[in-house]
């Protein structure tokens, strides 16, 4: 373990995600609950692109809160929005699964319909909570800045957001 810079009893997630740390060392108390939370927070990249293949990984875990960005990957400004979302996602590890949905892919039309989002809407964000049903939350802003996204996620976690119906979006 010493050759990897670890001490006895350390918990490490070894990951192979582009542009992310290959190893993440757990720095919290080592209770079974804390370890389970650490694993859940590090089993996926900080931002997961939605697809038919990734959907079971995204929605099949213990975390049932999802922070989504809808954006056409070929649109102007997309790279900046995605980079901002990746930066923001670190604030919510273990609490929200951050998901990018490419509105330019026809395979994603069902999820766009589900959220009432159209490709023409540009860059859009939503938060959902899955339980017996689906609670959807829409922001009161359109600019996907770091400050706005962090506040939106924090307000959701604090219980300060009102649920929205598709008819309201």
């Amino acid at each position: 373990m010493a050759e990897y810079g670890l001490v006895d009893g350390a918990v490490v997630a070894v990951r192979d995600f582009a542009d992310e740390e290959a190893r993440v060392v757990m720095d919290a108390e080592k209770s079974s609950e804390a370890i389970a939370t650490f694993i859940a927070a590090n089993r996926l990249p900080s931002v997961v692109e939605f697809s038919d293949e990734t959907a079971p990984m995204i929605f099949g875990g213990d975390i049932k809160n999802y922070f989504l960005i809808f954006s056409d990957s070929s649109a102007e400004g997309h790279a900046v929005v995605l980079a901002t979302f990746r930066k923001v996602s670190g604030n919510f590890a273990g609490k929200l699964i951050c998901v990018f949905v490419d509105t330019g892919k026809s395979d994603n039309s069902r999820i766009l319909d589900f959220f009432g989002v159209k490709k023409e809407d540009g860059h859009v964000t939503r938060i959902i909570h899955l339980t017996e049903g689906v609670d959807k939350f829409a922001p009161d802003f359109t600019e996907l800045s770091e400050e706005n996204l962090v506040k939106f996620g924090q307000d959701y976690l604090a219980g300060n957001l009102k649920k929205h119906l598709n008819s309201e979006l």
Side-chain angles (χ1 to χ4, degrees), residues 15-147:
R15 307 159 358 131
D16 187 22
F17 304 133
D19 303 322
E20 295 192 27
E21 291 289 325
R23 292 179 347 160
V24 180
V25 179
M26 181 179 178
D27 60 6
E29 171 194 343
K30 307 300 187 287
S31 68
S32 60
E33 184 177 311
I35 292 171
T37 299
F38 174 76
I39 291 169
N42 288 286
R43 72 181 185 90
L44 295 171
S46 60
V47 175
V48 184
E49 182 173 354
F50 179 85
S51 69
D52 289 339
E53 293 79 35
T54 60
M57 292 182 289
I58 293 168
F59 299 112
D62 292 335
I63 300 172
K64 298 299 180 191
N65 298 297
Y66 305 90
F67 198 159
L68 300 103
I69 292 285
F70 298 85
S71 178
D72 183 340
S73 62
S74 64
E76 184 177 333
H78 167 76
V80 172
V81 168
L82 192 56
T84 301
F85 192 43
R86 286 188 199 287
K87 185 175 180 183
V88 166
S89 69
N91 293 290
F92 305 111
K95 301 171 192 157
L96 298 170
I97 294 179
C98 294
V99 181
F100 157 61
V101 180
D102 190 342
T103 59
K105 291 185 177 177
S106 60
D107 289 352
N108 291 336
S109 62
R110 283 184 25 233
I111 194 165
L112 295 178
D113 289 343
F114 179 77
F115 283 99
V117 173
K118 297 177 185 71
K119 179 179 177 178
E120 298 78 35
D121 294 339
H123 313 297
V124 176
T125 188
R126 299 286 186 268
I127 292 178
I128 62 169
H129 176 73
L130 295 179
T131 53
E132 298 298 317
V134 179
D135 297 329
K136 300 176 189 176
F137 301 87
D140 59 0
F141 58 83
T142 57
E143 181 191 358
L144 301 187
S145 67
E146 182 178 346
E147 181 181 336

Side-chain angles (χ1 to χ4, degrees), residues 7 132 152:
V7 296
E132 298 298 317
F152 185 47

